[in-house]
Amino acid sequence: MAAEVPDHSHRGMVVAPAKRKSKRFAFACAMLASMTSILLGYDIGVMSGAAIFIKDDLKISDTQVEILLGILNLYSLVGSYAAGFTSDWIGRRYTIIFAAGIFFVGALLMGFAVNYAFLMVGRFVAGIGVGYALMIAPVYTAEVAPASSRGFLTSFPEVFINSGILLGYVSNYGFARLRESLGWRLMLGVGAIPSVFLALGVLAMPESPRWLVMQGRLGDARRVLDMTSDTPEEAQLRLDDIKAAAGIPEGCNDDVVPAPKKNQGGSVWRELLLRPTPAVRRVLLTAVGIHFFQQASGIDSVVLYSPRVFEKAGIHDKNKLLGTTVAVGFTKTLFILVATFLLDRIGRRPLLLSSTGGMILSLAGLGLGLTLIDHHPDGQLRWSVGLCIASILAYVAFFSIGLGPITWVYSSEILPLRLRAQGASIAVAVNRVTSGVITMTFISLYKAITIGGSFFLYGGIAALAWVFFFACLPETRGRTLEDMEDLFGTRKDTKEATNGVEMANASRQGNGKI
């Protein structure tokens, strides 16, 4: 049965034409770009187990462990901030290659670390690469993907984050039997291998059509859109929308035109942060809010500290701890794959609300199980151990089927073209800061309010997130990226700004004739 999608003029619903084989090309581009996210996923997964051996080998404290695990998120701010400029300067594609190269160096530095200070230097370099990757992958994918499958394709970064986490867990389990001083170094060092294949693969990708239009390369943009759109008609409509958003006249069809004046740098930051219109403020609040709640609801505490949580639940053998974390990684990866097929069928909003509701119940179950074990005389309560394990698996499953992928999909598709690169970097910065704060305070938090209490706290934050999503996030399924400007009212801002510039230019020209 043919799917219904909004027509370009918004006069009603039209039946979508038959899909072309070019969707396979968009699929391949999205997959290659999104593979940058495997770098973050691997680091998260591998550090959860490697930290056990690093603590014993380097004789570091719990506070140093917290900093080691969480600091990469703060370091990644440098990368995500710089990526907004780099992606507009050299393009989305070469920014991805740059990200892979930086992470490659960081992984090698961590693998050869001889002490804690050296290890932190490696974390800093790897963090910059992670920041670049997190910002650029969803932006590129959203700009290449046709509207009919944008949710499916833009969820790929989260798929690869989860795949990376699973690989990290497997690496922990595989190298755990080696000599302690060698095992954790191999766990961290082999993270350099995926970045090599990633950098080589990205060379086969085309540049983003939106970036090409911003450079005045309409002919190149047209060719990319022809390869990545469902129909020739959709390719032309997408090109017209991008030209309008970039300020290029509709009748201009030359292959190369003067590059439109870029509303970048200070003017973009002023529009986003200092003098935002109500529409821009709403878009930015929405993008920042969903990224904040994704991390504030505790996902990284569960993933990074899962061996410690399982230990608190009563599992003490290291091999069993690492084996159980593999189950967590497998569950996350399985359900993120399910989510990719539901995003464009069910929609963002229903998945997001049901996912967050499930997370609230799972966190409540985990908090209850850990609290009961804490208060049991010998710290052993078999059914509570089962409740804790089931709650963690349910929590990561609910997260992966909704909040995990939708955060990247939603925030990348609602930002208007002129603000997309810098707006995405702000959202990713909030994501990483929140993740850093959560992971760098988890051990101190559970020592202060008990480990069960910490998960009750995360559950309360997840409840606030549900209210925010229900009140502030409209459905975006099936809309083009330029339709978002009508949905949030930012197209009106663009027209007013364009009219103001045209009037000013006309005034200057008139004054020059007098």
Side-chain angles (χ1 to χ4, degrees), residues 413-481:
E413 66 188 2
I414 65 173
L415 289 162
L417 174 62
R418 69 188 187 281
L419 309 175
R420 186 164 296 142
Q422 284 82 359
S425 67
I426 291 174
V428 171
V430 170
N431 185 290
R432 294 297 88 200
V433 168
T434 308
S435 176
V437 170
I438 293 295
T439 52
M440 291 172 68
T441 59
F442 178 69
I443 296 175
S444 302
L445 179 68
Y446 81 64
K447 287 181 177 178
I449 64 172
T450 74
I451 192 164
S454 65
F455 287 107
F456 282 129
L457 176 62
Y458 294 147
I461 294 172
L464 292 176
W466 193 95
V467 174
F468 175 80
F469 300 152
F470 182 81
C472 299
L473 274 66
E475 182 58 68
T476 59
R477 178 173 67 104
R479 293 180 178 268
T480 67
L481 294 184

Side-chain angles (χ1 to χ4, degrees), residues 20 42 57-58 82 233 245 281 359 361 417 447:
R20 297 194 312 171
Y42 184 83
D57 186 38
L58 299 184
E233 293 76 16
R281 188 182 299 115
M359 288 166 58
L361 295 176
L417 174 62
K447 287 181 177 178

Side-chain angles (χ1 to χ4, degrees), residues 123-360:
R123 298 291 281 166
F124 175 71
V125 176
I128 294 175
V130 164
Y132 266 93
L134 280 176
M135 181 269 173
I136 196 59
V139 168
Y140 175 88
T141 305
E143 292 180 349
V144 168
S148 63
S149 56
R150 192 178 58 250
F152 172 69
L153 297 178
T154 316
S155 66
F156 277 16
E158 186 69 17
V159 172
F160 282 104
I161 288 176
N162 284 273
S163 300
I165 289 172
L166 178 57
L167 287 175
Y169 286 158
V170 171
S171 177
N172 289 154
Y173 191 75
F175 292 121
R177 291 168 178 78
L178 298 177
R179 188 175 74 252
E180 186 174 72
S181 60
L182 176 63
W184 67 263
R185 289 182 170 87
L186 284 174
M187 293 174 192
L188 301 180
V190 296
I193 297 174
S195 59
V196 175
F197 292 102
L198 171 65
L200 294 174
V202 169
L203 292 174
M205 290 164 39
E207 186 49 83
S208 154
R210 286 175 173 79
W211 184 81
L212 291 171
V213 170
M214 295 300 288
Q215 307 306 306
R217 296 163 56 184
L218 299 187
D220 291 338
R222 188 180 296 110
R223 283 186 284 275
V224 175
L225 288 169
D226 284 339
M227 292 188 292
T228 58
S229 298
D230 293 333
T231 65
E233 293 76 16
E234 186 196 0
Q236 186 59 48
L237 289 176
R238 290 173 69 189
L239 180 60
D240 291 343
D241 280 337
I242 297 169
K243 285 162 58 180
I248 297 175
E250 184 177 353
C252 183
N253 291 309
D254 295 337
D255 282 351
V256 179
V257 301
K261 291 183 179 179
K262 300 179 177 66
N263 187 13
Q264 294 177 350
S267 59
V268 170
W269 293 113
R270 281 195 297 273
E271 186 175 358
L272 281 170
L273 301 175
L274 299 180
R275 291 195 296 272
T277 63
V280 169
R281 188 182 299 115
R282 182 188 176 195
V283 168
L284 187 61
L285 175 65
T286 301
V288 167
I290 193 170
H291 273 276
F292 169 78
F293 283 117
Q294 185 201 47
Q295 295 300 325
S297 53
I299 183 63
D300 277 357
S301 290
V302 171
V303 174
L304 268 171
Y305 293 101
S306 54
R308 194 174 286 249
V309 174
F310 286 130
E311 186 177 17
K312 290 288 184 181
I315 303 172
H316 299 290
D317 180 80
K318 282 185 179 180
N319 287 328
K320 289 182 179 179
L321 284 175
L322 297 177
T324 312
T325 59
V326 172
V328 173
F330 180 79
T331 303
K332 276 186 107 276
T333 304
L334 174 65
F335 279 89
I336 190 65
L337 292 173
V338 173
T340 60
F341 293 99
L342 298 179
L343 279 167
D344 290 314
R345 289 183 172 88
I346 296 177
R348 283 57 157 158
R349 214 177 133 83
L351 274 180
L352 189 60
L353 294 175
S354 57
S355 161
T356 310
M359 288 166 58
I360 295 168

